[in-house]
Amino acid sequence: MNYNWNWGIFWDQTPDATGTYFGSLMSGLQVTILLALCAWFIAFVMGSLIGIMRTLPARWAVFVGNAYIEMFRNIPLLVQLFIWFFVIPELLPGDLGIWIKQLRNGPFIAAMLGLGFYMSSRVAAQITAGINALPKGQRMAGTAIGLTTWQTYRYILLPLAYRIIFPPLTSEFLNTIKNTAPALTIGVLELTARARSMQEFSFQVFEAFSAAAAIYLVLSAVVTIVMRMIEKRLAIPGFSGGK
Amino acid sequence: MPMITIEKVSKWYNPQFQVLKNCTTTVEKGEVVVVCGPSGSGKSTLIKTVNALEPVQEGTIMVDGLNVTTMKKDLPKLRSRVGMVFQHFELFPHLKIVENLCLGQTIVLGRSEDAAQAKAMKMLERVGLTAHAQKYPGQLSGGQQQRVAIARALVMDPICMLFDEPTSALDPEMINEVLDVMVELAKEGMTMMVVTHEMGFAKKVANRVIFMDAGEIVEDAQKDDFFGHPRSDRAQHFLSKILSH
């Protein structure tokens, strides 16, 4: 294989002369982190709502929750991104659709919604599992001292359920970070997109993608360490995960 | 007026399985009623219908003159006045002992944090656990947890107490510390409905004993009558089994 290794390439100027390739990758990393955080916010809020709905006594709530999960979990992420970016603006009334298509942050917003709702189905499944894993008596005990259904969730079931599912929730957050990469297909200039454009302009394919891979690894490692620390803080003495 | 009136109550878990069959009984104010019977006879279900933790399909349940079976919006308020103690304690594991005792007081009764704390400490003293106020439930023994659970019910100033097999999940050496608290409560005149196999407790403090089998109230008798000469074969059979040792 004839390949000219050039690890100094990161300090070369990009063709658009806005900075170095390193700077370009860093701005991609910024977009990746921002996209992951925004999507995670949606995933967490919607996932919690839907996850809770599936544990309510009302049949219709369980049905709506199940339908939501099946829909967002079983359509490939890429297809969902395309639907949010290409299809939904067309379905909106004329002016609104055009306005959305012309938004400068259009790709970012579509990716945020697509990834957020996709991940929310996975978060919802975890929340449901966490609540259902609690002894049935916990709900009864809350009810018996006079708490309403909402108060029972707020003060008893959710604080316990979130603790139980903290480790799998961490891994869903890591998945959210990794799943930002397909957003490049609708034009979001995140880390993978920046690495690809670096490779296209400089032909240093190995350097470009090694750097991207290394950055993803470091990012995940940092998140894992931070989450472990939070997990330790939340641990309850005498309860699972406690000392 | 009786504290608890259960009238012709029937309950099905599904169309095929009837857990309660036309149950009728009352608990007078200040009375201690023990409910016993073989496992699966419906005694835990019956006691849980009293504060509507288990819904019923037929019949009426009145607590302190209020119809529990038709009540909807005011149920939480009524439940807060009916103390309940569970077989597996069901303390809230993420809250300290004192927080377990304050939660219902502040949220349901609207007491101030200070008032709730003071009441909580008073009740902990009563069950002999002041030293453990700042611990978490998982750090206490089963017997201690169950005493905390009783205190958690008492801080709400209940008009009556329901006990659902309060000692059957405990190691033998811890049973008495819980029963002692219950005996003391009974002597103070608390209205109590107790599902239990502790016949010693029944003999000591119960006014009446209800014997259930297969979802029916087979026998509902004064304590001395029940232990002296139970009328039904099933109750005699049950007693001969559990009193033989």
Side-chain angles (χ1 to χ4, degrees), chain A residues 138-197:
Chain A
Q138 286 288 305
R139 187 193 291 265
M140 277 197 180
T143 311
I145 61 169
L147 299 182
T148 61
T149 304
W150 159 242
Q151 287 169 338
T152 307
Y153 275 89
R154 159 74 182 76
Y155 294 103
I156 296 158
L157 302 181
L158 292 181
L160 290 170
Y162 280 124
R163 281 180 171 91
I164 293 179
I165 60 162
F166 201 84
L169 223 45
T170 300
S171 107
E172 292 305 343
F173 182 48
L174 291 172
N175 282 337
T176 309
I177 296 175
K178 288 177 285 185
N179 282 339
T180 54
L184 78 90
T185 57
I186 56 170
V188 177
L189 291 176
E190 42 67 67
L191 183 55
T192 309
R194 292 292 187 177
R196 207 176 60 154
S197 82

Side-chain angles (χ1 to χ4, degrees), chain B residues 5-240:
Chain B
T5 312
I6 297 171
E7 213 183 319
K8 294 182 183 155
V9 163
S10 293
K11 178 181 170 71
W12 288 259
Y13 274 130
N14 58 48
Q16 287 84 42
F17 185 57
Q18 190 172 3
V19 264
L20 296 177
K21 293 173 190 158
N22 208 21
C23 296
T24 299
T25 189
T26 56
V27 180
E28 296 295 329
K29 203 166 276 184
E31 207 176 19
V32 177
V33 173
V34 162
V35 183
C36 62
S39 66
S41 59
K43 41 195 201 309
S44 283
T45 307
L46 181 71
I47 203 170
K48 282 176 186 148
T49 62
V50 174
N51 58 354
L53 286 181
E54 293 278 5
V56 298
Q57 281 82 35
E58 277 175 22
T60 319
I61 296 165
M62 308 280 284
V63 175
D64 197 29
L66 300 168
N67 189 333
V68 178
T69 24
T70 55
M71 192 184 285
K72 280 220 159 81
K73 216 175 87 244
D74 295 326
L75 258 182
K77 206 175 152 205
L78 176 93
R79 285 179 179 133
S80 72
R81 299 167 66 211
V82 178
M84 175 115 201
V85 175
F86 297 88
Q87 181 176 7
H88 297 285
F89 334 134
E90 305 302 348
L91 296 178
F92 308 130
H94 59 303
L95 300 177
K96 290 177 180 167
I97 299 305
V98 65
E99 292 168 341
N100 262 277
L101 269 59
C102 287
L103 186 70
Q105 294 188 72
T106 51
I107 293 169
V108 182
L109 303 181
R111 287 180 185 154
S112 72
E113 195 63 43
D114 288 345
Q117 287 260 351
K119 181 95 183 176
M121 291 314 289
K122 212 173 100 190
M123 284 303 159
L124 280 181
E125 195 182 333
R126 177 178 180 160
V127 297
L129 293 169
T130 342
H132 303 281
Q134 298 304 323
K135 288 189 185 168
Y136 286 89
Q139 297 170 306
L140 268 56
S141 72
Q144 291 171 328
Q145 288 191 54
Q146 195 60 300
R147 278 144 69 200
V148 172
I150 295 173
R152 179 177 68 181
L154 291 176
V155 291
M156 305 294 279
D157 296 320
I159 50 174
C160 62
M161 291 277 288
L162 309 173
F163 294 83
D164 183 12
E165 304 204 29
T167 56
S168 49
L170 294 173
D171 288 339
E173 78 268 25
M174 294 173 183
I175 290 177
N176 280 331
E177 60 185 82
V178 172
L179 289 180
D180 286 347
V181 174
M182 291 169 62
V183 168
E184 205 182 306
L185 259 183
K187 284 184 176 156
E188 285 171 18
M190 176 64 80
T191 308
M192 293 162 68
M193 195 168 170
V194 187
V195 173
T196 186
H197 297 294
E198 296 294 331
M199 289 303 127
F201 171 81
K203 280 181 178 165
K204 203 162 167 188
V205 296
N207 299 102
R208 275 179 28 241
V209 179
I210 291 172
F211 174 74
M212 288 185 74
D213 190 19
E216 281 175 285
I217 293 182
V218 179
E219 191 140 348
D220 185 346
Q222 293 298 316
K223 172 183 62 179
D224 295 332
D225 292 340
F226 182 78
F227 288 111
H229 29 82
R231 280 159 293 184
S232 67
D233 290 346
R234 279 187 280 181
Q236 283 179 18
H237 185 65
F238 177 75
L239 281 177
S240 72

